[in-house]
């Protein structure tokens, strides 16, 4: 396995590279420049002392030399050497310099014989400066031709102490660098380890949710990006568990609703095989069976519509519709049933234009009117009407003077499979849920106001705009 696949290893490597880079920069650029500055400063110091010293060079009496050398050496804080230029024996050989006076003569002047800086000053007959190495030590040196002619004055100061300091700085830097490098690797690895652990926890949570287990919450209280990701995961978990619960409930309710009429049908089929059954009873049984089959067919249709609504695949037209006309159509469809169940059915003539899908509006109207007849006692007055309502809306209203829907149930009647206990006739509890979702798909609402004397369902749809009044054929898919 590639050892740099882990975040820890990569982060440690990145930090180590940064530290190593910074260290190399200090080592290769800063330290040499510090060294150069020290040398330059020593050279400037010598150059500053040069005019004063060169002026004092004794011109003849030799007894003045020791005094001069001592003074000059302390003024320049350097070794003072005076050279004589030896003219070459042949024109092809170069002139050489030889020390004749030296402030450090006690140790001998052989080491400064033919000194490169003094030599350069002799060659160019001008001031020369630079560094020279003798043995293990480096020196900053300035040389200048002085009178009497043929003499070179050299000031030479040891750089030993200054360069030793630079070496100490270099060693300390190296030690600190190695320490920082180890620290960077350690810190990088631990930080990455902590992060990787939190990421791993999120990964495990995601796997758990993906496998369909929604019980354990996803927790990471930190306010950083990983914490935010964990909170997004938690919201997803809650939503998915909600959807899963709704899905299970839906399947459970749907199978229950399908099972009831199927059981009843099976019972009737068994009874019908009895050969002693008289004709009237047989016909009654067949009639009940037809009702059960109708109920099953309607249930299947409702379930299919709900699935389509959930998938957003139900095609919804948005055209100009006359709610007055639709109210009339629905009322006439139910007139016979209302008469049979002794419900006085009133249609209040009115005109109201809305934007919607004619078929869906009819479906909602049927569900509302069927409820008003089915869930109220005989003799209850039922009214259907349309109206132009506030905020550029138009409404289809179905109201009855039945016992109403108690407050605690009214909140749930639009839920799928919800039925109020003790309902007079049993349905599957899908009529209002579908009506509500269809109303929303058309950009409208379905509202309920219920009191003990009156129950009013209002389908509110947007009124057509001015342009649509001219061109009434716009269609959209919901
Ligand atoms: N006008 C009404 N008066 C009293 N109760 C009502 C009225 N309309 C609806 N309900 C109550 O609301 C419940 C839900 O109605 P919904 O139309 O969704 O289902 P359903 O009529 O029982 O069955 P389905 O319409 O699917 O055949 C009903 O079971 C009934 O108890
Ligand atoms: Mg109903």
């Amino acid at each position: 396995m590639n050892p740099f696949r882990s975040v820890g290893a990569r982060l440690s490597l990145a930090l180590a590279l940064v530290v190593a880079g910074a260290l190399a920069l200090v080592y290769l650029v800063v330290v040499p420049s510090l060294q150069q500055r020290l040398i330059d400063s020593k050279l400037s110091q010598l150059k500053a002392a040069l005019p004063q010293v060169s002026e004092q060079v004794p011109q003849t009496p030799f007894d003045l030399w020791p005094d001069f050398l001592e003074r000059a050496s302390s003024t320049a804080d350097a070794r003072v050497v005076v050279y004589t230029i030896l003219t070459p024996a042949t024109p092809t050989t170069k002139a050489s310099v030889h020390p004749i006076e030296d402030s450090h003569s006690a140790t001998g002047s052989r080491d400064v014989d033919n000194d490169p800086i003094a030599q350069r000053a002799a060659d160019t007959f001008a001031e020369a400066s630079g560094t020279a190495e003798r043995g293990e030590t480096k020196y900053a040196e300035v040389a200048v031709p002085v009178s009497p002619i043929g003499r070179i004055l050299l000031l030479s100061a040891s750089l030993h102490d200054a360069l030793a300091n630079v070496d100490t700085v270099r060693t300390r830097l190296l030690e600190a660098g190695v320490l920082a490098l180890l620290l960077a690797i350690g810190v990088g690895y631990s930080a990455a380890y902590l992060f990787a652990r939190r990421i791993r926890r999120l990964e495990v949570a995601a796997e758990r949710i993906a496998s369909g287990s929604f019980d354990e919450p996803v927790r990471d209280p930190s306010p950083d990006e990983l914490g935010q990701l964990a909170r997004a995961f938690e919201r997803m978990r809650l939503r998915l568990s909600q959807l899963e619960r709704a899905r299970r409930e839906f399947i459970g309710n749907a199978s229950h609703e399908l099972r009831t009429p199927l059981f009843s049908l099976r019972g009737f089929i068994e009874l019908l095989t009895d050969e002693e059954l008289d004709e009237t009873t047989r016909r009654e049984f067949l009639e009940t069976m037809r009702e059960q089959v109708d109920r099953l067919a309607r249930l299947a249709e409702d379930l299919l519509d709900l699935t389509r609504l959930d998938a957003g695949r139900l095609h919804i037209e948005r055209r100009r519709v006359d709610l007055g006309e639709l109210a009339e159509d629905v009322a006439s469809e139910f007139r016979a049933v209302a008469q049979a169940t002794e419900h006085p059915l009133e249609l209040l003539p009115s005109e109201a234009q809305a934007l919607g899908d004619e078929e869906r509006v009819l479906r909602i109207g049927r569900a509302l009117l069927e409820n008003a007849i089915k869930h109220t006692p005989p003799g209850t007055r039922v009214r259907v009407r349309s109206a132009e309502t506030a905020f550029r809306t138009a409404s289809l209203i179905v109201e009855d003077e039945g016992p109403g829907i108690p407050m605690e149930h009214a909140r749930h009647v639009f839920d799928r499979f919800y039925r109020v206990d003790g309902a007079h006739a049993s349905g599957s509890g899908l009529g209002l849920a579908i009506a509500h979702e269809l109303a929303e798909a058309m950009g409208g609402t379905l509202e309920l106001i219920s009191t003990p004397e009156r129950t009013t369902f209002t389908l509110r749809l947007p009124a057509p705009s001015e342009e649509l009044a001219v061109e009434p054929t716009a269609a959209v898919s919901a």
Side-chain angles (χ1 to χ4, degrees):
M1 194 185 100
N2 181 355
F4 292 109
R5 265 191 57 189
S6 85
V7 182
R10 282 189 205 173
L11 198 64
S12 310
L13 185 72
L15 277 176
L17 282 178
V18 169
V19 172
L23 196 68
L25 195 75
V26 170
Y27 212 75
L28 297 177
V29 178
V30 179
V31 173
S33 100
L34 174 70
Q35 188 169 334
Q36 193 54 50
R37 282 180 70 133
L38 285 171
I39 293 173
D40 289 348
S41 127
K42 200 73 188 170
L43 285 174
S44 318
Q45 199 184 316
L46 292 179
K47 279 180 191 167
L50 200 60
Q52 196 187 343
V53 175
S54 55
E55 256 173 32
Q56 293 169 1
V57 176
Q59 298 300 306
T60 39
F62 286 99
D63 52 341
L64 292 177
W65 279 100
D67 191 30
F68 159 72
L69 289 173
E70 197 187 325
R71 252 186 300 121
S73 173
S74 81
T75 308
D77 191 19
R79 180 176 179 178
V80 180
V81 186
V82 176
Y83 291 85
T84 180
I85 306 170
L86 296 180
T87 32
T90 59
T92 47
T93 46
K94 274 175 76 179
S96 57
V97 287
H98 287 288
I100 49 167
E101 295 295 339
D102 183 356
S103 61
H104 285 40
S105 58
T107 52
S109 299
R110 287 189 70 107
D111 60 334
V112 287
D113 201 12
N114 281 326
D115 180 89
I117 306 300
Q119 184 71 52
R120 193 149 26 104
D123 291 345
T124 56
F125 216 68
E127 186 184 305
S129 63
T131 56
E133 268 177 52
R134 287 192 287 278
E136 305 244 304
T137 315
K138 210 170 185 174
Y139 295 86
E141 296 190 332
V142 180
V144 67
V146 286
S147 71
I149 287 179
R151 299 280 157 82
I152 298 289
L153 170 70
L154 174 82
L155 301 181
S156 172
S158 165
L159 289 168
H160 179 271
D161 290 349
L163 295 186
N165 284 341
V166 173
D167 278 346
T168 314
V169 169
R170 200 193 306 251
T171 317
R172 293 279 175 276
L173 262 176
L174 204 65
E175 287 165 4
V178 170
L179 201 74
L181 213 62
L182 292 176
L183 214 68
I185 293 174
V187 167
Y189 202 83
S190 342
Y193 173 75
L194 290 177
F195 264 97
R197 216 171 54 168
R198 288 170 64 198
I199 293 171
R200 179 86 194 115
R201 271 210 298 265
L202 283 182
E203 188 190 336
V204 171
E207 294 284 356
R208 207 172 45 231
I209 293 171
S211 71
S213 150
F214 306 115
D215 302 335
E216 211 177 306
V218 186
R219 281 201 202 97
D220 189 333
S222 18
D224 61 8
E225 287 87 342
L226 276 186
Q228 283 170 16
L229 185 65
R231 284 186 281 287
F233 263 60
E234 176 62 3
R235 285 195 293 279
M236 181 180 80
R237 179 191 74 85
L238 290 173
R239 182 78 187 116
L240 282 175
S241 92
Q242 216 175 34
L243 287 175
E244 176 63 8
R245 215 174 308 127
R247 188 183 70 88
R248 281 184 197 189
E249 247 170 50
F250 182 78
I251 292 176
N253 285 329
S255 353
H256 177 78
E257 288 303 316
L258 286 168
R259 222 171 22 218
T260 319
L262 281 173
F263 265 132
S264 144
L265 276 172
R266 193 162 67 185
F268 279 116
I269 289 169
E270 273 167 21
L271 287 173
L272 278 175
T273 50
D274 184 352
E275 283 170 12
E276 285 168 19
L277 221 58
D278 63 274
E279 193 49 34
T280 328
T281 322
R282 188 186 296 272
R283 224 176 266 141
E284 264 172 30
F285 281 1
L286 282 172
E287 182 53 29
T288 321
M289 283 172 78
R290 200 180 56 81
E291 276 168 19
Q292 297 291 12
V293 170
D294 283 351
R295 190 175 159 190
L296 269 176
R298 193 177 139 183
L299 186 63
E301 200 183 311
D302 283 354
L303 289 175
L304 204 64
D305 277 352
L306 279 176
T307 325
R308 285 200 194 115
L309 274 165
D310 283 344
R313 280 195 296 114
L314 205 68
H315 181 74
I316 306 273
E317 302 267 350
R318 283 195 95 188
R319 290 168 184 265
R320 175 194 281 270
V321 288
D322 185 339
L323 293 182
E325 249 175 50
L326 296 182
E328 221 175 291
D329 291 350
V330 184
S332 55
E333 273 182 39
F334 279 84
R335 203 162 292 285
V337 186
Q339 215 163 9
T341 54
E342 296 165 32
H343 284 83
L345 177 59
E346 278 177 33
L347 170 72
L348 303 186
S350 56
E351 235 191 52
Q353 304 288 324
L355 255 194
D357 185 317
E358 198 173 296
E359 263 316 304
R360 315 293 176 195
V361 176
L362 277 174
R363 171 121 194 236
I364 297 171
R366 281 184 203 118
L368 298 180
L369 203 51
E370 185 193 83
N371 280 353
I373 293 171
K374 198 163 76 171
H375 301 300
T376 56
T380 306
R381 189 176 299 279
V382 177
R383 213 170 285 123
V384 186
R385 65 192 166 96
S386 63
E388 275 175 352
T389 35
F391 304 113
R392 300 193 51 74
T393 57
S395 303
L396 176 70
I397 301 155
V398 177
E399 55 190 7
D400 63 70
E401 292 174 3
I405 305 172
M407 189 67 151
E408 67 271 25
H409 295 294
R411 266 182 288 142
H412 299 290
V413 287
F414 297 118
D415 294 350
R416 295 174 180 190
F417 299 105
Y418 192 85
R419 279 171 300 208
V420 179
D421 295 338
H424 286 234
S426 67
S428 38
L430 289 177
L432 285 179
I434 294 175
H436 185 253
E437 289 185 34
L438 284 176
E440 287 196 335
M442 284 188 283
T445 54
L446 183 58
E447 296 150 22
L448 161 67
I449 298 175
S450 187
T451 61
E453 299 93 42
R454 190 182 297 267
T455 301
T456 310
F457 280 96
T458 308
L459 164 68
R460 207 183 291 274
L461 288 176
S465 62
E466 293 308 314
E467 307 91 77
L468 276 158
V470 181
E471 181 50 73
T473 50
V476 295
S477 165

